[in-house]
Amino acid sequence: MTDFTVHTIETAGESKPLLEDSQKAYGFVPNLHAVMAESPALLEAYKTINEIFGKTKLSETERQIIAMTNNRLNGCTYCMAAHTSIMQGAKVPEDVITALREGTPIADPKLEALRVYAEKVNVSRGWPEESDIEALLAAGYTKQTVFDVIVGTAYKVLSNYTNHIAQTPLDKPFAKNEWSPEA
């Protein structure tokens, strides 16, 4: 198996400024960013799309529903743990976090409609049925949301696939939320 480097700020080369920004933002350099530093384009794309995703009209909880749904479906153990920690810090309701980790329905019907739609987009590889779109709109979301789910899905493809290939080690701050697909 190919061994990928978990870079430090000192070894990051062209990615050094990006890792310095991560250090400032999180108080540490997440291993995901450290692995992505191998490709400055990948790390910049990931950070940029995350920033853009944050500019949507979706709430933090809604963005995390999209992210976690993709993380779970893609079997990304690193991102499941990291985003659980992010959600806890953002005060996302515990029942929502549990549902996302377990792949079970969310009690709030509007949030559940978003989870289901995000799942349909992922599973269909971007070919949801018209009825899937109609269900999301009927729940109170907009046509913009239909496309914002794609932004969130693309964001997670970058991180989930990187973690699969590099087998990114879990950071200590996320270890308490370790997750496995069998759980």
Side-chain angles (χ1 to χ4, degrees), residues 16-125:
K16 181 178 180 176
L18 297 167
L19 289 189
E20 289 172 337
D21 289 344
S22 297
Q23 174 73 40
K24 288 176 193 165
Y26 299 101
F28 69 102
V29 176
N31 286 339
L32 170 63
H33 297 196
V35 168
M36 286 181 162
E38 188 71 31
S39 168
L42 174 62
L43 182 54
E44 183 178 1
Y46 175 76
K47 291 173 80 108
T48 301
I49 199 166
N50 180 36
E51 183 180 323
I52 291 167
F53 190 41
K55 292 178 182 178
T56 65
K57 293 181 180 176
L58 298 168
S59 70
E60 178 67 20
T61 296
E62 291 167 324
R63 288 191 309 274
Q64 290 301 324
I65 288 168
I66 296 164
M68 284 290 281
T69 298
N70 279 279
N71 293 337
R72 184 183 55 76
L73 291 170
N74 293 337
C76 187
T77 57
Y78 181 96
C79 286
M80 286 294 289
H83 280 268
T84 298
S85 298
I86 291 166
M87 288 188 300
Q88 290 165 337
K91 307 289 190 240
V92 171
E94 191 59 41
D95 66 310
V96 173
I97 295 171
T98 300
L100 292 168
R101 286 177 61 90
E102 295 176 357
T104 57
I106 298 171
D108 180 297
K110 185 175 182 184
L111 296 179
E112 174 60 6
L114 180 62
R115 185 195 69 79
V116 168
Y117 180 72
E119 186 170 289
K120 298 285 186 172
V121 168
N122 177 295
V123 171
S124 71
R125 301 295 182 251

Side-chain angles (χ1 to χ4, degrees), residues 17 27 31 45 50 56 58 93 101 106 121 127 129 140-141 152-153 155 159 165 170 172:
N31 286 339
N50 180 36
T56 65
L58 298 168
R101 286 177 61 90
I106 298 171
V121 168
W127 292 95
E129 301 289 331
Y141 287 102
T153 300
Y155 158 63
S159 59
I165 291 168
L170 192 59
K172 284 186 181 185

